[in-house]
Amino acid sequence: MTTQVSERTRVAVIGAGPGGYPAAFLAASMGMDVTLIDPEAKPGGVCLFRGCIPSKALLHAAHVLDQAEAAAEFGIRFERPAIDLDALRAWKDRVVGKLTDGLGLLTRQRRVRYLQGRARFVDAHTAHVRLDGELVEVEFDYAIVATGSVPARPGPLAIESPRVWDSTRALEVPEVPGSLLVVGGGYIGLELGSVYRALGSRVTVVEMTQGLLPGADRDLVAPLEKRLRASGVEFLLGTRVAGLEDSGTTVKVDLSGAEVDGVREVDRVLVAVGRVPNARDLGLEHTGVQVGPRGFIEVDAQRRTAEPSIFAIGDVAGEPMLAHKATHEARVAVEAIAGLPATWDPLAIPAVVFTDPEIAWCGLTEAEARERGQAVEIATFPWAASGRATTLDRPEGLTKLVLEPGTERVLGVGMVGSGAGELIAEGVLAIEMGARATDLQLAIHAHPTLSETVMESAEVFFGQSPHFTSRARRR
Ligand code: FAD
Ligand code: NAD
């Protein structure tokens, strides 16, 4: 039997991921009465429970395995590692538990009301929240929809089989299959493919376009692709999966592409071909909220939907589907609700692929400049000329600046290399502060660090790099 309870709140935040929980916390810190709603017992969303955090914990373990092997190059040999999967899984779960417990505590400390359950709108100021037969009616002045996204399983990839995984299943590390075929050479395919390769699987990545990570510049992708190929990962580019069939013990994959045409049998398949926004089953039809053709909720620059009392942020409100983009939108929406002149106008949203080497970029990419027909100057510094990269035995990286001709303003920064994900923050700051190549050239960077490669690429722009003789090129 359903018990009905009614509550009133100033702001109802639906979904407690990196969009929802920061929105709830900020609104509460501004003095608003806030209710945060999510099916999980604790905040965290996809990012903490089955995305960013567990994947980075596993990637760290993979990195340790790789580093132990690489140490042979400088005379240090470890024994072949023994992998205790139960212990690895338990450690990854403890990482997630620590962070989500912390968010639960912060929720209570900030006096945010936490309702466990699924919300559905019944009108523009009311949502019903259900859990285990109980129904709570929440009346709100404003709602922020932050319901995120779920893995896409289009067409032939949509089979139900314990041998065909999505990212959520792969992150549980149920086993280390002998062979793993990954469909999709994007963020998840490369990150989780790298984890399973390091754990011992024979990994094949099938990508339908002609290159990995279609959004990234090719010169950044090349060193990663080369290193992964050298480590035994097979790439089938320009290849489609026409069908999947569970044989009972293996999966038969029907492939069609330039390099391969026919059926391959593998132990497990991981499908990582993108994510779809969670805008269905929210009762949006009872409100004025509009959903676009690709399933994203349509929002304006303040993240307000076509229904004035309802905002949307994060994966459900459009690309890029990144945690930090969701968190920044949370600020915009809450400030808008508070009547402040907030607007969504970032110049640079960093993208980081946490492979080894990492790829990171922000602002304008060279490929985007080419597509738009925009003239830019490109200054590239290869890490082979970096003292720090040499001491780390990781010379394959590079740092590049995309600069505006005439003004030398930094429009974009791209990197590939060990730790590039940490270094890209300097690029974001440079772009947001309107820095020019001169600013990067004249800011003293500590030696020997990889951060010097940012300064050195500015030196390349002026033809003055002490360690590399090339100059900038014009595109
Ligand atoms: P989510 O984190 O998806 O949270 C939405 C929450 O809303 C969920 O808890 C969901 O259960 C809940 N919800 C859904 N419907 C309802 C409802 N009706 N009522 C109440 N609650 C509801 N991004 C990065 O920036 N860096 C990374 O390293 C990274 N790694 C990733 C790795 C993987 C394997 C995956 C899958 C994603 C990764 N992402 C990463 C993407 C990142 O997880 C998302 O961009 C981010 O979580 C989006 O945040 P969000 O708040 O919009 O939604
Ligand atoms: P993605 O969009 O990054 O990559 C999907 C890839 O699959 C693309 O290269 C696409 O061309 C390819 N593809 C699509 N359909 C295909 C098919 N039928 N056969 C073969 N290839 C196909 O998507 P993802 O890897 O699933 O990740 C989803 C999103 O989650 C990402 O776009 C990103 O926003 C987010 N994410 C971010 C991080 C991070 O920030 N490090 C990590 C994981 C996920």
mmCIF file of all heavy atoms in Angstrom, residues 49-73:
data_model
loop_
_atom_site.group_PDB
_atom_site.id
_atom_site.type_symbol
_atom_site.label_atom_id
_atom_site.label_comp_id
_atom_site.label_asym_id
_atom_site.label_seq_id
_atom_site.Cartn_x
_atom_site.Cartn_y
_atom_site.Cartn_z
ATOM 1 N N PHE A 49 29.629 6.350 -8.484
ATOM 2 C CA PHE A 49 29.295 4.933 -8.308
ATOM 3 C C PHE A 49 29.714 4.054 -9.486
ATOM 4 O O PHE A 49 30.092 2.912 -9.304
ATOM 5 C CB PHE A 49 27.792 4.754 -8.057
ATOM 6 C CG PHE A 49 27.367 5.196 -6.678
ATOM 7 C CD1 PHE A 49 26.652 6.360 -6.501
ATOM 8 C CD2 PHE A 49 27.705 4.443 -5.567
ATOM 9 C CE1 PHE A 49 26.272 6.773 -5.226
ATOM 10 C CE2 PHE A 49 27.329 4.834 -4.285
ATOM 11 C CZ PHE A 49 26.614 6.005 -4.112
ATOM 12 N N ARG A 50 29.585 4.566 -10.713
ATOM 13 C CA ARG A 50 29.864 3.693 -11.858
ATOM 14 C C ARG A 50 30.447 4.459 -13.055
ATOM 15 O O ARG A 50 30.104 4.193 -14.195
ATOM 16 C CB ARG A 50 28.601 2.921 -12.271
ATOM 17 C CG ARG A 50 27.349 3.754 -12.303
ATOM 18 C CD ARG A 50 26.068 2.944 -12.418
ATOM 19 N NE ARG A 50 24.939 3.868 -12.447
ATOM 20 C CZ ARG A 50 24.368 4.384 -11.361
ATOM 21 N NH1 ARG A 50 24.773 4.040 -10.154
ATOM 22 N NH2 ARG A 50 23.364 5.244 -11.464
ATOM 23 N N GLY A 51 31.325 5.422 -12.742
ATOM 24 C CA GLY A 51 31.925 6.217 -13.823
ATOM 25 C C GLY A 51 33.333 6.653 -13.481
ATOM 26 O O GLY A 51 34.230 5.832 -13.291
ATOM 27 N N CYS A 52 33.496 7.984 -13.359
ATOM 28 C CA CYS A 52 34.821 8.599 -13.174
ATOM 29 C C CYS A 52 35.655 7.907 -12.102
ATOM 30 O O CYS A 52 36.809 7.547 -12.347
ATOM 31 C CB CYS A 52 34.691 10.064 -12.737
ATOM 32 S SG CYS A 52 33.275 10.962 -13.356
ATOM 33 N N ILE A 53 35.100 7.733 -10.915
ATOM 34 C CA ILE A 53 35.922 7.316 -9.770
ATOM 35 C C ILE A 53 36.319 5.825 -9.834
ATOM 36 O O ILE A 53 37.513 5.526 -9.762
ATOM 37 C CB ILE A 53 35.232 7.704 -8.444
ATOM 38 C CG1 ILE A 53 35.135 9.242 -8.357
ATOM 39 C CG2 ILE A 53 35.958 7.113 -7.237
ATOM 40 C CD1 ILE A 53 36.468 9.984 -8.386
ATOM 41 N N PRO A 54 35.380 4.896 -9.986
ATOM 42 C CA PRO A 54 35.852 3.506 -10.072
ATOM 43 C C PRO A 54 36.772 3.263 -11.273
ATOM 44 O O PRO A 54 37.722 2.488 -11.178
ATOM 45 C CB PRO A 54 34.555 2.685 -10.180
ATOM 46 C CG PRO A 54 33.478 3.654 -10.523
ATOM 47 C CD PRO A 54 33.913 4.982 -10.005
ATOM 48 N N SER A 55 36.512 3.961 -12.390
ATOM 49 C CA SER A 55 37.377 3.742 -13.559
ATOM 50 C C SER A 55 38.783 4.274 -13.283
ATOM 51 O O SER A 55 39.772 3.648 -13.668
ATOM 52 C CB SER A 55 36.784 4.365 -14.830
ATOM 53 O OG SER A 55 36.635 5.755 -14.691
ATOM 54 N N LYS A 56 38.876 5.409 -12.578
ATOM 55 C CA LYS A 56 40.218 5.943 -12.304
ATOM 56 C C LYS A 56 40.943 5.111 -11.260
ATOM 57 O O LYS A 56 42.175 4.983 -11.298
ATOM 58 C CB LYS A 56 40.136 7.408 -11.868
ATOM 59 C CG LYS A 56 40.309 8.358 -13.037
ATOM 60 C CD LYS A 56 39.096 8.525 -13.910
ATOM 61 C CE LYS A 56 39.116 7.939 -15.250
ATOM 62 N NZ LYS A 56 37.860 8.166 -16.004
ATOM 63 N N ALA A 57 40.214 4.509 -10.333
ATOM 64 C CA ALA A 57 40.858 3.614 -9.368
ATOM 65 C C ALA A 57 41.454 2.419 -10.118
ATOM 66 O O ALA A 57 42.614 2.053 -9.907
ATOM 67 C CB ALA A 57 39.846 3.154 -8.316
ATOM 68 N N LEU A 58 40.687 1.842 -11.032
ATOM 69 C CA LEU A 58 41.190 0.680 -11.784
ATOM 70 C C LEU A 58 42.336 1.079 -12.718
ATOM 71 O O LEU A 58 43.295 0.324 -12.893
ATOM 72 C CB LEU A 58 40.051 0.030 -12.583
ATOM 73 C CG LEU A 58 38.961 -0.638 -11.735
ATOM 74 C CD1 LEU A 58 37.817 -1.116 -12.625
ATOM 75 C CD2 LEU A 58 39.532 -1.810 -10.922
ATOM 76 N N LEU A 59 42.241 2.288 -13.294
ATOM 77 C CA LEU A 59 43.327 2.745 -14.167
ATOM 78 C C LEU A 59 44.610 2.942 -13.369
ATOM 79 O O LEU A 59 45.716 2.723 -13.867
ATOM 80 C CB LEU A 59 42.932 4.044 -14.881
ATOM 81 C CG LEU A 59 42.083 3.814 -16.131
ATOM 82 C CD1 LEU A 59 41.290 5.058 -16.506
ATOM 83 C CD2 LEU A 59 42.966 3.396 -17.320
ATOM 84 N N HIS A 60 44.463 3.360 -12.109
ATOM 85 C CA HIS A 60 45.657 3.516 -11.265
ATOM 86 C C HIS A 60 46.313 2.145 -11.061
ATOM 87 O O HIS A 60 47.533 2.006 -11.176
ATOM 88 C CB HIS A 60 45.284 4.155 -9.928
ATOM 89 C CG HIS A 60 46.442 4.226 -8.982
ATOM 90 N ND1 HIS A 60 47.574 4.957 -9.264
ATOM 91 C CD2 HIS A 60 46.679 3.614 -7.794
ATOM 92 C CE1 HIS A 60 48.450 4.798 -8.286
ATOM 93 N NE2 HIS A 60 47.931 3.985 -7.380
ATOM 94 N N ALA A 61 45.487 1.144 -10.773
ATOM 95 C CA ALA A 61 46.029 -0.210 -10.583
ATOM 96 C C ALA A 61 46.722 -0.684 -11.871
ATOM 97 O O ALA A 61 47.816 -1.263 -11.833
ATOM 98 C CB ALA A 61 44.909 -1.165 -10.191
ATOM 99 N N ALA A 62 46.096 -0.384 -13.022
ATOM 100 C CA ALA A 62 46.687 -0.779 -14.308
ATOM 101 C C ALA A 62 48.038 -0.083 -14.497
ATOM 102 O O ALA A 62 49.004 -0.685 -14.971
ATOM 103 C CB ALA A 62 45.738 -0.398 -15.449
ATOM 104 N N HIS A 63 48.107 1.172 -14.095
ATOM 105 C CA HIS A 63 49.329 1.959 -14.249
ATOM 106 C C HIS A 63 50.460 1.359 -13.400
ATOM 107 O O HIS A 63 51.611 1.279 -13.846
ATOM 108 C CB HIS A 63 49.030 3.400 -13.829
ATOM 109 C CG HIS A 63 50.094 4.366 -14.202
ATOM 110 N ND1 HIS A 63 50.579 4.473 -15.478
ATOM 111 C CD2 HIS A 63 50.794 5.261 -13.465
ATOM 112 C CE1 HIS A 63 51.521 5.402 -15.511
ATOM 113 N NE2 HIS A 63 51.676 5.884 -14.298
ATOM 114 N N VAL A 64 50.108 0.933 -12.184
ATOM 115 C CA VAL A 64 51.119 0.324 -11.309
ATOM 116 C C VAL A 64 51.663 -0.947 -11.970
ATOM 117 O O VAL A 64 52.875 -1.181 -11.995
ATOM 118 C CB VAL A 64 50.515 0.031 -9.917
ATOM 119 C CG1 VAL A 64 51.476 -0.805 -9.076
ATOM 120 C CG2 VAL A 64 50.182 1.344 -9.201
ATOM 121 N N LEU A 65 50.776 -1.754 -12.541
ATOM 122 C CA LEU A 65 51.213 -2.983 -13.225
ATOM 123 C C LEU A 65 52.168 -2.643 -14.371
ATOM 124 O O LEU A 65 53.223 -3.267 -14.533
ATOM 125 C CB LEU A 65 50.001 -3.743 -13.785
ATOM 126 C CG LEU A 65 49.118 -4.470 -12.775
ATOM 127 C CD1 LEU A 65 47.813 -4.926 -13.430
ATOM 128 C CD2 LEU A 65 49.864 -5.670 -12.198
ATOM 129 N N ASP A 66 51.779 -1.617 -15.160
ATOM 130 C CA ASP A 66 52.606 -1.247 -16.316
ATOM 131 C C ASP A 66 53.954 -0.685 -15.882
ATOM 132 O O ASP A 66 54.985 -0.953 -16.491
ATOM 133 C CB ASP A 66 51.870 -0.211 -17.177
ATOM 134 C CG ASP A 66 50.743 -0.853 -17.969
ATOM 135 O OD1 ASP A 66 50.727 -2.095 -18.084
ATOM 136 O OD2 ASP A 66 49.874 -0.110 -18.458
ATOM 137 N N GLN A 67 53.925 0.123 -14.815
ATOM 138 C CA GLN A 67 55.182 0.736 -14.362
ATOM 139 C C GLN A 67 56.140 -0.319 -13.846
ATOM 140 O O GLN A 67 57.352 -0.236 -14.075
ATOM 141 C CB GLN A 67 54.899 1.761 -13.277
ATOM 142 C CG GLN A 67 54.419 3.086 -13.859
ATOM 143 C CD GLN A 67 54.497 4.192 -12.837
ATOM 144 O OE1 GLN A 67 54.036 4.027 -11.714
ATOM 145 N NE2 GLN A 67 55.071 5.305 -13.220
ATOM 146 N N ALA A 68 55.581 -1.316 -13.164
ATOM 147 C CA ALA A 68 56.438 -2.382 -12.633
ATOM 148 C C ALA A 68 57.142 -3.090 -13.796
ATOM 149 O O ALA A 68 58.336 -3.387 -13.726
ATOM 150 C CB ALA A 68 55.599 -3.364 -11.820
ATOM 151 N N GLU A 69 56.424 -3.291 -14.892
ATOM 152 C CA GLU A 69 57.015 -3.958 -16.046
ATOM 153 C C GLU A 69 58.042 -3.049 -16.732
ATOM 154 O O GLU A 69 59.129 -3.487 -17.118
ATOM 155 C CB GLU A 69 55.898 -4.340 -17.026
ATOM 156 C CG GLU A 69 56.305 -5.429 -17.981
ATOM 157 C CD GLU A 69 55.156 -5.779 -18.926
ATOM 158 O OE1 GLU A 69 53.999 -5.896 -18.461
ATOM 159 O OE2 GLU A 69 55.436 -5.920 -20.127
ATOM 160 N N ALA A 70 57.669 -1.751 -16.824
ATOM 161 C CA ALA A 70 58.546 -0.808 -17.537
ATOM 162 C C ALA A 70 59.866 -0.606 -16.800
ATOM 163 O O ALA A 70 60.872 -0.230 -17.414
ATOM 164 C CB ALA A 70 57.828 0.531 -17.705
ATOM 165 N N ALA A 71 59.889 -0.859 -15.496
ATOM 166 C CA ALA A 71 61.098 -0.622 -14.702
ATOM 167 C C ALA A 71 62.259 -1.512 -15.159
ATOM 168 O O ALA A 71 63.434 -1.200 -14.906
ATOM 169 C CB ALA A 71 60.819 -0.844 -13.223
ATOM 170 N N ALA A 72 61.936 -2.599 -15.854
ATOM 171 C CA ALA A 72 62.999 -3.487 -16.360
ATOM 172 C C ALA A 72 63.950 -2.709 -17.263
ATOM 173 O O ALA A 72 65.148 -3.002 -17.323
ATOM 174 C CB ALA A 72 62.372 -4.656 -17.114
ATOM 175 N N GLU A 73 63.438 -1.694 -17.931
ATOM 176 C CA GLU A 73 64.231 -0.861 -18.847
ATOM 177 C C GLU A 73 65.416 -0.221 -18.127
ATOM 178 O O GLU A 73 66.488 -0.032 -18.694
ATOM 179 C CB GLU A 73 63.301 0.214 -19.442
ATOM 180 C CG GLU A 73 63.906 1.207 -20.387
ATOM 181 C CD GLU A 73 64.396 0.567 -21.678
ATOM 182 O OE1 GLU A 73 63.862 -0.491 -22.062
ATOM 183 O OE2 GLU A 73 65.342 1.125 -22.287
#
